[in-house]
Amino acid sequence: LLKIKKPYNLTTNLMELLYNKLILWFFNVKYKKFPTINGKIYLKNSGTIKLGKNIIINSKLSTNPISGQGKSIIIVKSGAELLIKDGTGISNSIIICSKNIYIGSNVCIGAGCKIYDTDFHSVKIKERLSPNNPGTKTAPVRIESGAFIGADTIILKGVTIGKNSVVGAGAVVTKDIPDNEIWAGNPAKFIKKIDNAIPQN
């Protein structure tokens, strides 16, 4: 069978570009180079967002349908900071930053991932029912350069993921992952070491 390519929709792509430029400008996102955003990003920022260069964000179903989720969502609350370094890719994922989230260079974040630095609610019923929900715990999240986060992974508050480490699809990460290791499962557990040594000639 012949593969029929859809015509390049210049109007749609131009509208997405203008929308994303307006959203990043309106929410005062700082960047070295405007990121490549496929689709329309959902973004709210009351704190600080800093982006490096050569960042790619997929934010529509057609760019990566494996999660069934068709948008990237980034929310940074008042007083919080989100920093994403050069060459990182994010696909139809959710980042909620209440304190501090750092994502290093050349990180791959698969489709449908969720990264939270907050519990959102207290574990105590009286605090949950209070208007300001006191007692909610937050702690910084740090994803070091070269890490690969598999699709539908959930990364919770206070976690550091080491350089070049791999998190298996669907994992729930509740504690630190050292450099150059593979972790998977719910909760995520150590699987094996990765040999990232550069071969010598």
Side-chain angles (χ1 to χ4, degrees), residues 110-159:
C113 291
K114 299 174 179 66
I115 303 171
Y116 306 142
D117 69 350
T118 177
D119 284 341
F120 296 103
H121 303 284
S122 172
V123 296
K124 298 178 181 179
I125 181 77
K126 290 182 178 180
E127 293 178 346
R128 282 202 304 275
L129 296 177
S130 298
N132 296 324
N133 197 18
T136 302
K137 294 183 179 180
T138 63
V141 170
R142 189 173 182 92
I143 303 175
E144 299 290 359
S145 297
F148 188 100
I149 313 301
D152 294 314
T153 290
I154 301 174
I155 299 173
L156 299 178
K157 71 176 193 307
V159 164

Side-chain angles (χ1 to χ4, degrees), residues 2-200:
L2 293 175
K3 291 184 178 179
I4 301 173
K5 294 183 178 180
K6 292 182 179 180
Y8 181 73
N9 193 328
L10 181 61
T11 302
T12 299
N13 284 274
L14 181 59
M15 288 178 65
E16 289 175 352
L17 176 62
L18 292 174
Y19 171 87
N20 291 320
K21 280 186 173 290
L22 179 62
I23 288 295
L24 267 64
W25 169 81
F26 183 81
F27 285 109
N28 195 31
V29 176
K30 299 176 175 64
Y31 49 82
K32 289 183 181 178
K33 181 182 178 182
F34 190 82
T36 298
I37 303 175
N38 300 309
K40 294 181 179 180
I41 192 169
Y42 180 92
L43 188 146
K44 286 188 176 180
N45 177 37
S46 299
T48 301
I49 299 177
K50 296 180 181 178
L51 306 178
K53 57 186 178 180
N54 302 323
I55 289 172
I56 299 175
I57 300 173
N58 289 327
S59 192
K60 61 181 177 182
L61 191 62
S62 61
T63 55
N64 195 337
I66 65 171
S67 72
Q69 177 176 294
K71 191 175 287 292
S72 279
I73 298 170
I74 297 176
I75 298 173
V76 177
K77 298 183 180 180
S78 179
E81 181 179 55
L82 170 64
L83 176 61
I84 303 176
K85 303 288 280 184
D86 300 350
T88 284
I90 300 169
S91 193
N92 298 343
S93 291
I94 301 173
I95 299 172
I96 309 293
C97 180
S98 292
K99 188 171 187 177
N100 185 274
I101 295 177
Y102 169 89
I103 300 174
S105 301
N106 302 312
V107 172
C108 292
I109 299 176
C113 291
K114 299 174 179 66
I115 303 171
Y116 306 142
D117 69 350
T118 177
D119 284 341
F120 296 103
H121 303 284
S122 172
V123 296
K124 298 178 181 179
I125 181 77
K126 290 182 178 180
E127 293 178 346
R128 282 202 304 275
L129 296 177
S130 298
N132 296 324
N133 197 18
T136 302
K137 294 183 179 180
T138 63
V141 170
R142 189 173 182 92
I143 303 175
E144 299 290 359
S145 297
F148 188 100
I149 313 301
D152 294 314
T153 290
I154 301 174
I155 299 173
L156 299 178
K157 71 176 193 307
V159 164
T160 294
I161 295 176
K163 291 181 180 179
N164 309 317
S165 286
V166 175
V167 181
V172 178
V173 185
T174 61
K175 59 183 179 180
D176 293 351
I177 295 176
D179 297 348
N180 302 306
E181 292 187 359
I182 298 174
W183 285 51
N186 180 6
K189 295 180 180 179
F190 172 76
I191 303 298
K192 66 178 182 178
K193 292 275 189 182
I194 304 171
D195 182 7
N196 278 314
I198 299 173
Q200 300 296 318

